[in-house]
Amino acid sequence: MAPRKKTAAGATPANKAASDDTMTDGPREIGERDRVTLQKITDLAFSALAEVRRGKNPALSIPVRALSNVSFDQEAGLIRLGESRQSRNFFHLKQAKLFMQTFLIAEHCKKLIEAGATTSIRDIYYGAKHSVAGTKENTFEEQAESDPIIEDLEVTIDALREELHLRAENRGAMVGPMTIRDTGDTIDLRRMGSGGWSIPSIVEDNRIEFMKTEAEYILFIEKGAVWARLNEDRFWQKNNCMLLHGSGMAARGTRRLLRRMHEELKLPLYVLTDNDPWGFYIYSVIKQGSINLAYESMRMAVPQARFLGLMSSDAERFNLQANVSMALKDEDSARIEQLMRYDWFAAKRWQEELALMKKTQKKYELEALSSRGIRFITEEYIPQKLRGKRGDSWLD
Amino acid sequence: MTTEALIQDPEALKPAGRRASAEAMGAKQRDISVSEFFTKNRHLLGFDNPAKALLTTIKEAVDNALDACEEAGILPTLDVTVEEVSDGRYRVRVEDNGPGIVKEQIPKIFAKLLYGSKFHRLRQSRGQQGIGISAAGMYGHLTTGRPVVVVSKIGKGRPAWRVEVRIDSRTNEPKQLNDKNDTVTWEKDHGTSVEIELMGLYRGGRTSVDAYLEQTVVANPHLELSYKPPKGPLVHFPRVSDLLPPEAQEIKPHPHGVELGMLIKILHESGRRHVAQTLMEEFSRVTQPVADELCKRAGIDPNAVAARVDAAKIEALHAAMVASNAALPPIKKFASKVARSDGNLREEVLEEGTGFSPTLADLVIRRGGLEPTVKAKLVTPMMVEKLYASLHDSQVKILPPPANCIVPVGEALVMEGLRRRFKGEFFTSHTRPPAVYRGNPFVVEAGVAFGGTLSRDDSADVLRFANRVPLLYQPRACAIHEAVLKVDWKSYGLQQRKGELPVGPLAIFVHLASVWVPFTSEAKEAVAHYDEVVREIRLALMECGRKLGAWVKAQQAERWETQRKSLFEKYIVELAASIHSITKVSEESVKKDFTDALPNHVRIAIAPVEGAAPGVDAGGEPAPGEGAAEAAAGPVEAEAEAPEPKASRPSERPPDMGDDGDGEPFYKDMTPGNSRQLVLKVRSKSGRK
């Protein structure tokens, strides 16, 4: 009992107090949306307190974010989060720290909302990191510990990341025949030079507004390098399309932006990725949502998205030589097996494509198309794909 | 011509004329005195190098002093002084409060080899042969030219004689150098002081004088010792027990252990007595029926005059006497060994059996209708059965020797001794009932000290004792060391690599008490590997190990409880700060709510610690007397079957951890075994130990 008394006197560590100052920079009006989020956080804390006062083991009920708890909604074409939840107890050797960390993050989000500030998830990691009173142990040792806690908090109180005033780093870029308003600034996406407009992690309509556009469709490309090639060729101008890339797996901001453009501007979405299981999966996340963020599929997925390739069957169709292929690695093969078991890859054509990749033991990067000429991708490949038939030149 | 041929044919070396005549050679041939022999073979007595010479000298003097005090019923108080007179030259003085020595005996005791009271009797004592102290004096004189200086006084008002003496190594006779009536004034009522100057080397470590004296103190709780080392201050070990060990009884030899030469000597010196009568009077446990039966087996008339029995008959008698101590392995094991053997049957019997001499082996084999030299692999299972029947027929039932001749330290005093030497947290000890090897009764005691200031990273400290004398040299050649290795210390919660000593804050005490300790050599450095001896030591150690294991586990459980408790307590502080910030409920109040609920969910009860209390497990010492002795052989077998600690080993249970986030509160399924795993896992997540 003695050590507890001792640490009580010290209360909050110094670095914690310092971060308080930076966040409370002046009073402000709290909006309705923020008020709801604040209430959710406060309710969470009071319910834990009520449980412990009754001598119970306080618990957080967290929806399970794992394959076991998602299902593929065939009709809507979405991955949906199931009902199962896991309990996170404080009086549990393995969970005590996680429980404490969840409230630490909740506390910091509450302060952010009250201050009307938004910070990155890296900022909040540093803000919440300090040594546990009286020990050399840190509340968080690395950001990899705080990131999942944030996701836990989102699902537990059913609040979106942006509602918690958190954002991730900008990732991905966009150009195309459209003018937008980004937090008050008017931006002409036709005049973005070679780099494009960097896609922020929060793209809700209170921040990003779509204005005048001539675009007829959206082309999403996995890789920045291939995107740069198309931008250089002014592909978007010639074909009247919005051109985006996601620097690999599309981040939340990019996915939300795709969804909004598809929904609000009624633009069809085409996806161009490498011919390997990872590329296929990037497409599936954009189309149906992901396992980890299944609770946000509703607002991020674009079930009508179409896959423009690269398909294994394209090698023959576009006469790609064997020397531009790459051999599958063990991890690739293992991933193929996994994909083949996912419900959202159950369609016959996808199973055929995966089986073909497995059979040939070959994968192709988008750049392999350059073996047919620098402009082959813009002048031959994409136009031909867009003209072709479903299930033949493009997949659902 | 090769060198080999030269040696085989000395004449070839010098064809012309002889080099020495038989007369000339005869003039040079004479008795080699024992002392001359040992001068040249000093390593046999432990004087092989300067460091060992210093230790052996002190050891012999201390052993003698303790034996004398105990025999006279005096609680020993010893003063040991070692000073470096000049570089490499040391003066050793050992003074006791013993009974003193009568004036006439002093020179012989300190300057005549093989002179003493201990060799001719079978009784437990430190010294055995009467060589040690005279050899030390001889070594001192040889290296420094200084005589042994003895002062001794046998009672109040009697003179304290001062004797300067050296050994004449040609004749093995003492030579007193000072006036035979020299006396000094000595305030002691009685006692003896011996001073020897020698070339030596004082150093630290496992085989140092300091280590020897410290260990002597452990095995002799009734000893008060003051020690002044060459460097550093005087060390004083106060007495921890006022109880003298009970006086060891002298016994006659037991038939099982008798050697042929000794039997011949006994029979030849029996005067006009009959064989049966001689056997009954000269050996323990030989009654009229036993004597008659032995004679019958040997084909001797029990009423024949013992001194006239011929050599062949004596050999047969000897075989009959030792036969009942011989044993072969289980018949199936032996039969399969024999079938795969390349040797002859005699070799197999000697190899696989215990207690066989070649004569006995031949006798038993012949009685089974076989030839000792027959190829073993030709022996059929049926013939093996006949062999076993023959062994059984050859054996005369003889009671094991009485055990009242053995004086163990006793469980309580072993722990006291360990406490005096080690600042440990846990002590335990165990004394085995008496057992027998080759007809010699012996008792094994073991003790352990654990924790405290003992080093955690080193191998266990093994303290070996024979008749209370520490054994410092040749640990690897010693049966005690072997027995320590044979114990599975891992099952008692310690670390141990295969074939190595356990590692941890552990000191292991093993004492072998016997009328005749089976040393591997005259230097008395290591105990010989008799199966019976190794087994007894192992059983004693296992008993100590079990108690230690229980304590270690209880300690671990307690530590885990504390760790668990502190884990929650530190997170409560953090959690209270966050909840306060969110709800504005006061931090103190939140903290109190969580702390109050903690005991509902975390088991903080501390398991009772077994065997930790001093003296709790110190059982009674084996009661002296015939009754205890007769029971000796029985319980030995029974305890050999004692269950090894395999049944309950919570620490070895596989860590049984649920999936992440199984939500099951840990206290529902928690044993000390997996709780540690849990604690470690939580900690490793935060990247710290």
Side-chain angles (χ1 to χ4, degrees):
Chain A
M1 294 292 129
R4 187 170 50 84
K5 276 270 191 285
K6 218 168 92 190
T7 49
T12 359
N15 54 352
K16 207 169 171 185
S19 66
D20 288 355
D21 294 341
T22 57
M23 281 174 195
T24 49
D25 47 14
R28 67 169 202 119
E29 223 23 57
I30 292 173
E32 181 52 31
R33 209 167 161 183
D34 283 346
R35 211 185 307 279
V36 171
T37 314
L38 283 178
Q39 192 57 48
K40 284 174 176 173
I41 292 175
T42 318
D43 287 350
L44 191 71
F46 272 117
S47 88
L49 209 50
E51 278 188 79
V52 84
R53 277 175 182 163
R54 279 185 286 130
K56 291 250 167 74
N57 194 348
L60 297 171
S61 176
I62 304 169
V64 175
R65 289 173 291 120
L67 182 60
S68 63
N69 192 37
V70 297
S71 57
F72 181 53
D73 182 341
Q74 206 83 40
E75 214 152 294
L78 290 176
I79 293 172
R80 289 187 194 277
L81 192 63
E83 289 301 305
S84 80
R85 297 169 92 87
Q86 69 188 60
S87 175
R88 177 172 295 166
N89 293 74
F90 179 67
F91 293 119
H92 186 296
L93 277 180
K94 284 192 286 180
Q95 299 174 4
K97 186 168 189 183
L98 296 170
F99 188 94
M100 178 273 284
Q101 288 172 329
T102 313
F103 275 98
L104 197 54
I105 294 292
E107 176 199 349
H108 278 259
C109 290
K110 180 171 180 263
K111 285 177 179 167
L112 282 174
I113 298 167
E114 282 167 348
T118 302
T119 97
S120 73
I121 53 176
R122 185 151 187 83
D123 272 334
I124 201 165
Y125 156 64
Y126 278 112
K129 178 178 184 163
H130 58 258
S131 54
V132 173
T135 69
K136 283 181 175 177
E137 183 186 343
N138 285 320
T139 49
F140 294 99
E141 295 297 342
E142 48 192 336
Q143 199 187 333
E145 267 184 82
S146 65
D147 286 358
I149 295 283
I150 294 168
E151 285 171 1
D152 289 344
L153 185 64
E154 288 173 39
V155 291
T156 305
I157 63 172
D158 190 23
L160 299 173
R161 181 168 290 186
E162 42 277 18
E163 288 171 347
L164 293 171
H165 286 224
L166 295 175
R167 60 174 140 77
E169 275 177 51
N170 286 10
R171 193 154 144 200
M174 174 159 79
V175 287
M178 175 155 75
T179 307
I180 57 165
R181 279 184 77 83
D182 178 354
T183 50
D185 298 335
T186 305
I187 294 170
D188 185 352
L189 297 178
R190 302 164 193 90
R191 296 161 175 273
M192 298 308 299
S194 60
W197 176 68
S198 157
I199 303 167
S201 98
I202 302 179
V203 294
E204 293 310 306
D205 53 9
N206 59 347
R207 292 184 183 237
I208 309 290
E209 286 173 67
F210 303 134
M211 298 172 74
K212 186 171 171 282
T213 182
E214 304 90 54
E216 286 163 15
Y217 66 92
I218 310 163
L219 181 60
F220 174 87
I221 297 162
E222 176 185 349
K223 289 166 145 174
V226 179
W227 177 89
R229 172 96 284 283
L230 269 65
N231 189 23
E232 198 182 300
D233 285 356
R234 308 291 275 183
F235 179 86
W236 52 269
Q237 203 166 30
K238 292 169 195 160
N239 295 277
N240 266 348
C241 71
M242 298 307 296
L243 197 59
L244 290 86
H245 77 84
S247 288
M249 175 59 81
R252 286 183 193 219
T254 310
R255 288 171 55 198
R256 176 69 183 144
L257 188 66
L258 289 171
R259 165 78 184 214
R260 280 194 59 211
M261 287 196 290
H262 171 76
E263 201 170 54
E264 296 169 24
L265 305 174
K266 310 287 180 226
L267 300 177
L269 169 61
Y270 298 97
V271 178
L272 190 55
T273 72
D274 282 346
N275 174 252
D276 60 31
W278 319 99
F280 288 8
Y281 192 67
I282 288 172
Y283 164 71
S284 87
V285 167
I286 289 170
K287 188 178 172 77
Q288 290 112 351
S290 68
I291 298 168
N292 199 35
L293 298 180
Y295 58 97
E296 295 215 88
S297 296
M298 289 288 287
R299 27 189 315 277
M300 293 215 225
V302 185
Q304 290 77 28
R306 291 168 180 183
F307 184 70
L308 276 198
L310 213 47
M311 297 189 273
S312 292
S313 50
D314 286 339
E316 201 179 322
R317 190 173 298 122
F318 292 98
N319 196 19
L320 296 178
Q321 299 301 310
N323 57 14
V324 298
S325 71
M326 292 162 80
L328 286 189
K329 291 179 181 158
D330 288 351
E331 61 207 29
D332 296 327
S333 302
R335 187 66 178 149
I336 291 172
E337 296 292 333
Q338 260 177 349
L339 293 192
M340 288 178 91
R341 284 195 298 271
Y342 287 155
D343 288 343
W344 49 99
F345 277 100
K348 185 168 165 256
R349 275 296 285 128
W350 279 109
Q351 292 288 322
E352 283 169 7
E353 279 297 321
L354 288 163
L356 184 60
M357 191 186 297
K358 202 171 123 185
K359 187 182 160 218
T360 57
Q361 286 291 304
K362 281 177 188 158
K363 59 180 181 181
Y364 295 88
E365 290 190 290
L366 280 172
E367 287 90 333
L369 295 168
S370 305
S371 67
R372 296 288 315 277
I374 293 173
R375 299 214 157 77
F376 181 78
I377 186 166
T378 53
E379 290 172 3
E380 305 259 345
Y381 180 84
I382 296 174
Q384 196 178 325
K385 281 266 176 179
L386 288 172
R387 281 197 305 272
K389 277 190 287 180
R390 172 173 179 264
D392 189 8
S393 77
W394 55 269
L395 297 182
D396 234 348
Chain B
M1 190 172 257
T2 64
T3 325
E4 204 173 325
L6 275 176
I7 292 164
Q8 280 169 358
D9 184 8
E11 281 303 316
L13 202 69
K14 201 179 177 186
R18 288 188 178 179
R19 284 187 285 176
S21 67
E23 287 80 10
M25 284 165 79
K28 287 183 195 163
Q29 287 160 350
R30 58 179 174 81
D31 273 355
I32 301 167
S33 101
V34 212
S35 32
E36 251 185 332
F37 176 77
F38 281 122
T39 308
K40 286 183 178 163
N41 298 285
R42 55 176 76 157
H43 59 277
L44 292 179
L45 298 176
F47 294 92
D48 5 6
N49 61 58
K52 206 164 165 186
L54 181 65
L55 174 66
T56 306
T57 302
I58 292 166
K59 183 167 152 17
E60 295 298 347
V62 169
D63 288 355
N64 278 1
L66 286 173
D67 275 345
C69 288
E70 280 167 23
E71 194 171 349
I74 299 164
L75 281 168
T77 303
L78 263 57
D79 287 302
V80 177
T81 313
V82 182
E83 54 181 316
E84 190 167 11
V85 187
S86 62
D87 198 25
R89 188 163 171 149
Y90 291 86
R91 187 182 295 136
V92 171
R93 208 173 71 86
V94 176
E95 183 180 320
D96 65 47
N97 61 339
I101 303 163
V102 292
K103 187 185 165 192
E104 295 72 29
Q105 293 294 337
I106 295 171
K108 286 184 181 169
I109 285 176
F110 292 96
K112 183 175 170 67
L113 293 180
L114 293 171
Y115 187 88
S117 55
K118 299 169 193 170
F119 187 69
H120 302 281
R121 61 186 187 188
L122 275 178
R123 197 183 109 165
Q124 179 192 345
S125 60
R126 295 177 178 80
Q128 281 180 345
Q129 292 133 324
I131 296 178
I133 192 66
S134 310
M138 192 171 79
Y139 175 84
H141 182 253
L142 213 65
T143 52
T144 66
R146 291 299 193 100
V148 180
V149 180
V150 182
V151 173
S152 191
K153 183 173 166 183
I154 59 169
K156 201 167 183 172
R158 308 290 294 267
W161 300 106
R162 185 175 179 283
V163 177
E164 285 182 26
V165 68
R166 72 171 182 86
I167 195 165
D168 181 338
S169 62
R170 283 171 183 278
T171 59
N172 186 23
E173 286 300 328
K175 199 164 171 184
Q176 186 164 354
L177 303 178
N178 63 339
D179 188 293
K180 288 204 163 41
N181 291 316
D182 256 9
T183 58
V184 290
T185 45
W186 216 22
E187 71 274 27
K188 267 196 175 134
D189 285 350
H190 50 81
T192 304
S193 143
V194 56
E195 192 177 295
I196 296 174
E197 214 168 301
L198 72 156
M199 295 305 285
L201 177 65
Y202 175 83
R203 61 178 184 200
R206 180 174 58 79
T207 57
S208 64
V209 173
D210 301 18
Y212 163 74
L213 289 173
E214 278 169 5
Q215 293 189 20
T216 302
V217 161
V218 174
N220 298 276
H222 59 293
L223 161 67
E224 180 179 351
L225 175 75
S226 297
Y227 167 47
K228 175 70 187 74
K231 293 163 197 156
L234 183 114
V235 194
H236 184 247
F237 296 97
R239 212 188 303 285
V240 289
S241 162
D242 283 337
L243 281 176
L244 261 180
E247 198 182 353
Q249 300 296 309
E250 192 173 335
I251 59 158
K252 293 173 192 162
H254 189 274
H256 285 172
V258 73
E259 274 148 14
L260 181 60
M262 195 176 177
L263 181 63
I264 293 171
K265 184 166 168 275
I266 288 171
L267 292 179
H268 280 193
E269 290 173 2
S270 61
R272 303 168 61 82
R273 285 182 290 172
H274 297 161
V275 178
Q277 191 189 353
T278 309
L279 290 177
M280 284 157 64
E281 286 172 10
E282 297 297 329
F283 290 94
S284 65
R285 301 301 198 196
V286 178
T287 56
Q288 184 76 54
V290 170
D292 288 349
E293 192 63 30
L294 288 171
C295 288
K296 197 177 135 200
R297 301 291 163 108
I300 302 173
D301 176 4
N303 294 321
V305 175
R308 292 201 199 129
V309 177
D310 67 44
K313 291 257 172 72
I314 296 179
E315 210 177 324
L317 179 63
H318 179 253
M321 287 168 83
V322 298
S324 56
N325 195 35
L328 285 168
I331 189 157
K332 273 188 185 158
K333 189 182 160 199
F334 185 73
S336 77
K337 263 270 190 253
V338 158
R340 281 180 282 118
S341 161
D342 290 328
N344 64 35
L345 188 56
R346 181 201 284 140
E347 287 162 2
E348 280 307 312
V349 169
L350 290 175
E351 175 104 349
E352 296 299 316
T354 51
F356 279 97
S357 66
T359 319
L360 179 61
D362 287 1
L363 193 88
V364 171
I365 292 168
R366 290 214 172 87
R367 277 199 191 137
L370 293 157
E371 266 307 304
T373 51
V374 70
K375 275 218 178 293
K377 65 176 87 160
L378 299 178
V379 175
T380 64
M382 206 126 93
M383 292 154 128
V384 172
E385 266 176 47
K386 277 190 180 162
L387 181 73
Y388 274 63
S390 152
L391 175 64
H392 184 78
D393 291 344
S394 314
Q395 290 179 322
V396 181
K397 278 241 169 297
I398 307 177
L399 281 176
N404 58 341
C405 48
I406 313 288
V407 185
V409 177
E411 289 175 343
L413 290 179
V414 166
M415 285 202 281
E416 280 308 313
L418 285 169
R419 273 201 187 87
R420 184 149 67 150
R421 169 72 180 76
F422 299 103
K423 302 238 175 315
E425 293 166 78
F426 175 80
F427 298 89
T428 188
S429 63
H430 181 67
T431 300
R432 296 281 308 158
V436 178
Y437 85 90
R438 280 191 49 202
N440 294 302
F442 69 97
V443 168
V444 166
E445 302 180 273
V448 297
F450 185 83
T453 58
L454 279 91
S455 162
R456 274 156 210 282
D457 304 322
D458 292 339
S459 294
D461 204 353
V462 180
L463 313 183
R464 301 175 289 136
F465 298 88
N467 285 348
R468 294 173 185 252
V469 178
L471 308 178
L472 301 182
Y473 284 94
Q474 300 201 11
R476 276 163 215 293
C478 187
I480 293 176
H481 189 84
E482 183 197 327
V484 172
L485 297 186
K486 273 190 174 172
V487 171
D488 178 13
W489 294 95
K490 276 193 278 195
S491 60
Y492 310 126
L494 290 157
Q495 295 176 353
Q496 183 185 24
R497 285 218 229 135
K498 204 174 158 62
E500 288 182 23
L501 288 174
V503 173
L506 177 70
I508 299 168
F509 166 103
V510 177
H511 178 217
L512 174 69
S514 176
V515 288
W516 197 263
V517 176
F519 287 115
T520 53
S521 77
E522 289 307 303
K524 298 197 273 187
E525 292 171 338
V527 174
H529 296 248
Y530 284 95
D531 290 350
E532 301 91 327
V533 173
V534 173
R535 189 188 64 184
E536 283 295 310
I537 299 170
R538 211 174 138 251
L539 290 173
L541 285 171
M542 279 162 58
E543 183 58 34
C544 292
R546 274 191 281 272
K547 291 176 194 162
L548 173 64
W551 185 82
V552 167
K553 270 159 206 160
Q555 289 287 302
Q556 276 170 352
E558 192 181 331
R559 209 161 41 237
W560 293 330
E561 297 289 353
T562 321
Q563 273 179 8
R564 273 213 293 276
K565 192 160 163 273
S566 68
L567 176 124
F568 290 111
E569 279 173 352
K570 73 184 176 191
Y571 292 149
I572 285 175
V573 175
E574 290 297 326
L575 190 59
S578 292
I579 290 186
H580 156 71
S581 171
I582 297 170
T583 61
K584 306 297 173 215
V585 174
S586 100
E587 211 168 309
E588 278 305 315
S589 145
V590 176
K591 212 177 288 177
K592 186 177 180 300
D593 290 338
F594 273 86
T595 311
D596 289 349
L598 180 61
N600 297 349
H601 305 282
V602 181
R603 186 166 46 85
I604 310 211
I606 284 160
V609 177
E610 293 167 44
V616 163
D617 47 49
E621 298 181 28
E626 293 285 308
E630 279 167 15
V636 174
E637 285 308 318
E639 296 216 8
E641 303 297 321
E644 297 202 17
K646 275 184 183 152
S648 60
R649 285 196 225 163
S651 70
E652 292 203 355
R653 279 178 53 167
D656 168 32
M657 321 236 296
D659 292 335
D660 263 7
D662 53 7
E664 189 72 3
F666 72 94
Y667 55 87
K668 280 191 183 163
D669 175 34
M670 175 136 304
T671 65
N674 57 24
S675 70
R676 183 179 60 158
Q677 301 284 344
L678 293 178
V679 170
L680 290 177
K681 187 143 191 215
V682 167
R683 300 213 150 179
S684 70
K685 258 195 172 161
S686 64
R688 279 173 193 278
K689 250 187 92 182

